[in-house]
Amino acid sequence: MTDAKKLNFRQESAPVGNSGDGGSHPFMLSLRTDPLKQTFTPGEVLHTFKAPTGWKWVDYVGLSYYTENPPMDHYVGLIDTSKLKLSENDTVLTFRYEPHLNTAGQADFDHLVYHLIATAIDGATKGMSSDGYATIGETSSKAPLPVKTTLYGIITS
């Protein structure tokens, strides 16, 4: 299967932070086929992650595979930072990568988990934001996911 339209992103964790706290907050998003356990080998494709309002990305992307039955993790590593592109005031992160799932003889289980790091922007308005998104593939074959976060209070110096 190589059709990105048959993929689902799922947000595994939603950062909670304070505007301007300067901290690193993890986002975990997982990619899986629909239905689950299908082989997915698209070759190298574009990945686009848009941070929700009030957040910006740090140039860091880690990858791991996960299966629920039996529960098992397999850490892949980090995307080389020279391949990561930040734009729009660091709110859009793009890179090309060759994801694959459920390939015979490989430790690429049911879910490919993307580990991303964001930081809250100084002066951002508190509240929940759900206008971020994650896509894989070119414009015509997106599998979008609304990405959500929560900001508490504004920190001022």
Side-chain angles (χ1 to χ4, degrees), residues 2-155:
T2 58
D3 186 0
K5 291 179 183 175
K6 296 180 180 174
L7 295 174
N8 284 325
F9 266 115
R10 181 170 71 185
Q11 187 167 354
E12 304 291 344
S13 68
V16 174
N18 286 308
S19 172
D21 67 6
S24 296
H25 301 277
F27 276 80
M28 288 177 54
L29 305 170
S30 67
L31 178 69
R32 54 164 276 197
T33 59
D34 186 19
L36 194 61
K37 298 206 180 284
Q38 289 188 28
T39 299
F40 177 67
T41 55
E44 189 172 275
V45 294
L46 179 66
H47 289 68
T48 304
F49 296 94
K50 170 76 170 84
T53 298
W55 295 85
K56 64 182 180 179
W57 299 117
V58 174
D59 59 349
Y60 172 95
V61 179
L63 301 166
S64 62
Y65 286 98
Y66 175 75
T67 186
E68 296 169 16
N69 191 14
M72 193 179 321
D73 286 308
H74 172 70
Y75 181 67
V76 176
L78 299 174
I79 299 283
D80 183 342
T81 55
S82 69
K83 295 182 178 186
L84 303 175
K85 180 182 177 192
L86 289 167
S87 60
E88 298 182 35
N89 295 320
D90 299 340
T91 63
V92 176
L93 172 66
T94 57
F95 59 92
R96 298 190 73 79
Y97 178 72
E98 184 175 353
H100 46 86
L101 292 164
N102 305 304
T103 309
Q106 299 290 320
D108 59 354
F109 314 124
D110 302 337
H111 302 268
L112 174 57
V113 181
Y114 295 82
H115 306 267
L116 302 132
I117 303 294
T119 188
I121 296 171
D122 288 343
T125 304
K126 70 178 181 176
M128 180 177 269
S129 295
S130 59
D131 59 348
Y133 61 84
T135 63
I136 183 172
E138 306 307 321
T139 305
S140 62
S141 60
K142 288 184 177 181
L145 167 76
V147 177
K148 300 174 183 155
T149 62
T150 302
L151 278 173
Y152 290 112
I154 306 265
I155 294 176

